[in-house]
Amino acid sequence: MTIHIGVVGTGMIGQDHIRRITDVVTGADVVAVADVDFDRAEEVASGINARALPTGHDVINDSLVDAVVVTSWGPTHAEYVLAAIEAGKYVFCEKPLATTAEDCLRIIEAEQAFGRRLVQVGFMRRYDAGYRSMKRVIDGGEIGSPLVMHCAHRNRTVPESYHSEMAVQDTAVHEIDTVRWLLDDEIVSAQVIKPRKTTKRFEHLQDPQIMLFETASGARIDLEVFVNCQYGYDIQCETVGETGVVRLPDPADVWLRSSAQLRTNVLQGWEQRFAAAFDLEFVEWVASMHDGRLAGPSAWDGYAAAVITDATTEALHSGRVVAVTLKDRPAFYGS
Amino acid sequence: MTIHIGVVGTGMIGQDHIRRITDVVTGADVVAVADVDFDRAEEVASGINARALPTGHDVINDSLVDAVVVTSWGPTHAEYVLAAIEAGKYVFCEKPLATTAEDCLRIIEAEQAFGRRLVQVGFMRRYDAGYRSMKRVIDGGEIGSPLVMHCAHRNRTVPESYHSEMAVQDTAVHEIDTVRWLLDDEIVSAQVIKPRKTTKRFEHLQDPQIMLFETASGARIDLEVFVNCQYGYDIQCETVGETGVVRLPDPADVWLRSSAQLRTNVLQGWEQRFAAAFDLEFVEWVASMHDGRLAGPSAWDGYAAAVITDATTEALHSGRVVAVTLKDRPAFYGS
Amino acid sequence: MTIHIGVVGTGMIGQDHIRRITDVVTGADVVAVADVDFDRAEEVASGINARALPTGHDVINDSLVDAVVVTSWGPTHAEYVLAAIEAGKYVFCEKPLATTAEDCLRIIEAEQAFGRRLVQVGFMRRYDAGYRSMKRVIDGGEIGSPLVMHCAHRNRTVPESYHSEMAVQDTAVHEIDTVRWLLDDEIVSAQVIKPRKTTKRFEHLQDPQIMLFETASGARIDLEVFVNCQYGYDIQCETVGETGVVRLPDPADVWLRSSAQLRTNVLQGWEQRFAAAFDLEFVEWVASMHDGRLAGPSAWDGYAAAVITDATTEALHSGRVVAVTLKDRPAFYGS
Amino acid sequence: MTIHIGVVGTGMIGQDHIRRITDVVTGADVVAVADVDFDRAEEVASGINARALPTGHDVINDSLVDAVVVTSWGPTHAEYVLAAIEAGKYVFCEKPLATTAEDCLRIIEAEQAFGRRLVQVGFMRRYDAGYRSMKRVIDGGEIGSPLVMHCAHRNRTVPESYHSEMAVQDTAVHEIDTVRWLLDDEIVSAQVIKPRKTTKRFEHLQDPQIMLFETASGARIDLEVFVNCQYGYDIQCETVGETGVVRLPDPADVWLRSSAQLRTNVLQGWEQRFAAAFDLEFVEWVASMHDGRLAGPSAWDGYAAAVITDATTEALHSGRVVAVTLKDRPAFYGS
């Protein structure tokens, strides 16, 4: 049985997920798409023998659509996710789940009212082989209780439209989810430190930033976000426990000895770095729908990310330590 | 349009390829299978909603079957591949293409008579990301002309049924194909050196073996085959050129610091080491059939591997350098 | 011409330096020693054919002594260094130069009054090959202007006498000097973050600690001090510049593949990690005395370290960001 | 008590050892030197306050000279070593001990006649930290019984005067001694394989060469000698045992991420690669003379190296496997 998917938003990431569902994932296909740019929707649809519909709501409510992928503009996410829940359909929503914590709460309430999980949020790092191996090491007790994490998130460059808050909302949000998941712990406060700005930047942008997080159990995380590091896309993560330290590997490529150096390539984009993770994310999402039990990042994780990024953004502006105040976690979302 | 595949041989590797075509590859499905053990064929068929047919020839000649995968017992390969060519169908044959060079030649002649490529041989290392990166480096001139290659092929253990000739025919055959492909050069002689046998072995088995190859251009390759190395599955390859050296990376996994050591896991089996390569092999095979132009390892590569492994086996027994005598390469198979 | 050295303090580190001057360094010997434990001084002296004198002042003022090494108890350092300056003799003082910033200032003033440099402070990391290579990379502009540094200082365990302030005064002080030297920049503020304490500790000890420093140019440094990490002695340092990142290597030892793992040893103590640095420190100190021009860490560096560690200690207690207030740097000590 | 050393031969390596004895080693000094170029001898002597004597024999027989270092032209080694033995003085002889196996035998006989060890041969790799660590791993049984070794000896370039036999006599001789020492086993045969020559060479030179050795216990060694590899000085060594594999590390230097690459420097010369080994070689030689018990590479090791390099040279010319025929090892030289 094939799961028929409708995609709302056919921009770059939407098209990439459509290609993934079409070419990589078995057991699912894309049958309907919509976009604010209807011509683009039609062009994408024609390439995969799907229908372009006038609006996202038309896609969500289409009788042939079993599940929805939301890859539209962030501010529209909540509306479409809520519509999908109302239609009783599974919905995969790219981050952010919603642009405000309030909207995330509305989604959580709607999902609970529906009675079982329908929503998955696109935190793809949980599907990366390296992070999964790190989680096995931590969960297996191989480093003892985690005390400290050191993270770095570096991009080669960002466009001029990228502003300082996006370092939190769009960039650090990945580490925020990853930390919560790896440590099985909740972030309770945030602080942002502003190093001297790189001169290889746009004047308006605070880059790099050092973000500091504290968890409920007292673990401390430092995260360097540096989105104009010039040399490549580089994700580093190290967890320090009571008896050992576990570290993500650098991606493996051939080693070259020439011209007095030993060297290997650094990847240049997140598309390459997390290509396999994106694939697995959709493979497992489709498999979990076939099983009838979602297992990926939940609406609660989307809500927590929203509250934590809000606190971190406030910390960026205030220079102070900002407490994260989450609602009590409903039993519906596990412990 | 979906390519309907028939699978001849539903043992371990056959089942794995069926799973791959079903779960990983898009644009193809398995519609018919056969096996010497009909019950096994039926069991496999039922799991994927395909038909079990009495014989491999029934599968090959089935009107619904567009392409054939041959994963039966080695000595039967030639017969099925020839039948597929006669039926004008694409055929993917696991190594070996045939158990004798003569049978390989019959296949080459039949394929040429048909007039275009139908046969692909299952040398999956050409689809491994590391080897592909190494090939890009060599082809790009980054190390100058290749002069020497150092290879190691280590398995944790082998069963008692594994005998000394299998180190050549089943194990080294992978490096033999890889060397020819990486260097774009032909192997012209072989020698085998016998170190003291490991005591962690069966008495009958010469393990390890050091195989030495020479290519037409004068490059020299040494290959350690050690199939009871105890510690894991470990594939090493280094190419030394006039101006530089390129080396395969070890697979990337997390690094752990604990108990006075810095360490990472060594993979234990070829299934893990080459899982992504097997997947890509089938993805590209199916894509190339959709395009109507096979690009993977050809019947000629299968023939060359047969002649070279025969020479190497003779070298194992004689202790001498044995010349490899290939027919002239037909223009049909490129230069 | 041999430089005759007198050593004040013949405890563990004093004995190690005596062995170094005797067995490793050419062009110098130890002719007189003193210790609060006169028996110990006599025992040490007899082993190297030197004289044990009643007090440190006797050593400093001995007519045969050309230069002094102060390795006595920290609170006595200032007194002996001042005495050496008064005697017009070169003096190598193990860290700290003095236990108070005021005493450091007295030394600076005395040295300036004398008219040329006599004092060198024992910050041995400046002599480590890895750090020196990092400094060459930074100074050569290979990573652009430094913006961020990530450091970790991990010890296997510490004795019960080690208390939380020592993480700053005895441990972090090495990174404090190293950062100043590597970046050629001054630290202007400090903050200390307290993760959950490891349970593999003594109750009184805050371990680990995360220290945050800011420099005059706006670079930011995070330093994890974790003195009961259990697995070994591990020094990590990474400098992030505008165009690249440079990282200390792990010490090189053989790589072992066995039992499903690829692994290498982690050193267990600072003695092994910095053995070559200690040797070079004394070789260069003696050579610089022969040249008549001290080049190593100066009394000013000792003073700065004292002020910064005081501020960091205050930050540890207060939880706040504490400004570092240094006197203006005299031209005597370079720019 | 200082050991007074006389040096015969003040060329580049002689001057380097003189500097080492003078500046690095404690407990020894150089008091007399000789050279075929007396002016050079005088110049060197004046720099260290030693005497230049007319001939090597004058140095050896000088009453102030306790021990001799022979760093003259290879063909003169045997004569000076025999003279030192006749004078009853310790003698450190740079490789080769003698240019013929016959002369080595004369030295062995003279030394045995004298009644205790006086001769040490300059195989400095036994003093390299990495090789020593590898030996500890092998001797400790951590990889089981050794079966195979893979070695590579690469130089950036060699001068035109370097000819094909020097790849054996001057270059491979280091691995020949190292293999014997690491495996505690004797080499019994040699074969040389000639890859296509690099075009970055002088026409007369066979470069690279692959040398194959067999030991008495049946271990097999392959050694790539490539003295115009262009990219640096690179020494690789891997020992494969019944249960594991141990490999030399690459020298540790900082890691740089910039311009889309992760890279570290490759050393360019043996002087840098083995600087610490050379130092330790002399430190331990001097210490062993103080103890009265030589422990380094013996005249027997020098003899074995001569016989094995002779066999390997014959193998280079003949293309055949050449047996190594050593005399029985006298009990005088241990088992």
Side-chain angles (χ1 to χ4, degrees), chain B residues 1 16 64 82 95 97 108 124 145 163 243 278 280 295-296:
Chain B
M1 196 201 71
D16 197 44
L64 294 181
L82 285 166
K95 65 160 184 86
L97 175 59
I108 285 173
M124 83 292 187
S145 299
H163 55 78
T243 62
F278 276 116
L280 188 58

Side-chain angles (χ1 to χ4, degrees), chain C residues 64-202:
Chain C
L64 294 180
V65 166
D66 301 317
V68 180
V69 168
V70 177
T71 45
S72 53
W73 191 42
T76 66
H77 286 187
E79 172 189 341
Y80 292 129
V81 171
L82 285 167
I85 294 172
E86 194 172 334
K89 295 184 180 178
Y90 288 116
V91 56
F92 176 99
C93 181
E94 260 309 321
K95 61 148 185 100
L97 175 59
T99 50
T100 67
E102 289 67 32
D103 278 348
C104 291
L105 281 176
R106 291 175 56 210
I107 290 167
I108 285 173
E109 282 154 20
E111 188 176 37
Q112 289 181 80
F114 181 78
R116 66 183 167 84
R117 280 195 56 192
L118 292 176
V119 181
Q120 179 163 329
V121 184
F123 291 124
M124 83 292 188
R125 291 207 188 167
R126 299 192 186 194
Y127 301 88
D128 174 69
Y131 277 117
R132 286 196 162 187
S133 193
M134 180 178 281
K135 184 156 179 61
R136 275 193 300 274
V137 165
I138 295 171
D139 289 351
E142 293 186 63
I143 61 165
S145 299
L147 302 173
V148 174
M149 284 182 73
H150 305 295
C151 308
H153 187 143
R154 301 181 189 132
N155 292 65
R156 197 163 63 80
T157 56
V158 289
E160 188 158 9
S161 58
Y162 188 102
H163 54 78
S164 297
E165 295 191 359
M166 291 171 73
V168 178
Q169 303 285 346
D170 284 21
T171 302
V173 66
H174 286 292
E175 270 80 12
I176 286 169
D177 180 70
T178 304
V179 164
R180 297 177 62 251
W181 168 71
L182 281 174
L183 302 186
D184 202 9
D185 199 356
E186 197 51 84
I187 290 174
V188 298
S189 79
Q191 180 185 355
V192 179
I193 286 175
K194 303 179 193 172
R196 185 166 64 77
K197 297 177 187 176
T198 176
T199 60
K200 316 287 184 193
R201 82 193 185 290
F202 303 102

Side-chain angles (χ1 to χ4, degrees), chain A residues 87-132:
Chain A
K89 295 184 181 178
Y90 288 117
V91 55
F92 177 98
C93 182
E94 261 308 322
K95 58 140 187 110
L97 175 59
T99 50
T100 66
E102 289 68 30
D103 278 349
C104 291
L105 282 176
R106 290 175 57 209
I107 290 167
I108 286 174
E109 283 154 20
E111 189 177 37
Q112 291 182 80
F114 180 79
R116 67 183 166 82
R117 279 196 57 192
L118 293 176
V119 181
Q120 178 162 330
V121 183
F123 291 125
M124 83 291 186
R125 292 211 187 162
R126 299 193 187 192
Y127 301 88
D128 175 70
Y131 277 117
R132 286 195 163 188

Side-chain angles (χ1 to χ4, degrees), chain A residues 174-238:
Chain A
H174 286 291
E175 270 80 12
I176 286 169
D177 180 70
T178 304
V179 163
R180 297 177 62 250
W181 168 70
L182 280 175
L183 301 186
D184 202 10
D185 199 355
E186 198 52 84
I187 290 174
V188 297
S189 78
Q191 179 184 356
V192 180
I193 286 175
K194 302 178 193 173
R196 186 167 64 77
K197 296 177 187 176
T198 175
T199 60
K200 316 287 184 193
R201 83 196 185 287
F202 302 103
E203 190 56 41
H204 62 79
L205 181 62
Q206 173 59 50
D207 186 40
Q209 300 179 23
I210 309 287
M211 302 177 193
L212 304 170
F213 303 104
E214 182 180 8
T215 71
S217 78
R220 296 289 190 149
I221 297 95
D222 50 76
L223 163 61
E224 172 204 326
V225 173
F226 187 14
V227 294
N228 291 282
C229 79
Q230 310 296 320
Y231 71 85
Y233 182 72
D234 193 5
I235 300 299
Q236 300 289 334
C237 182
E238 185 178 69

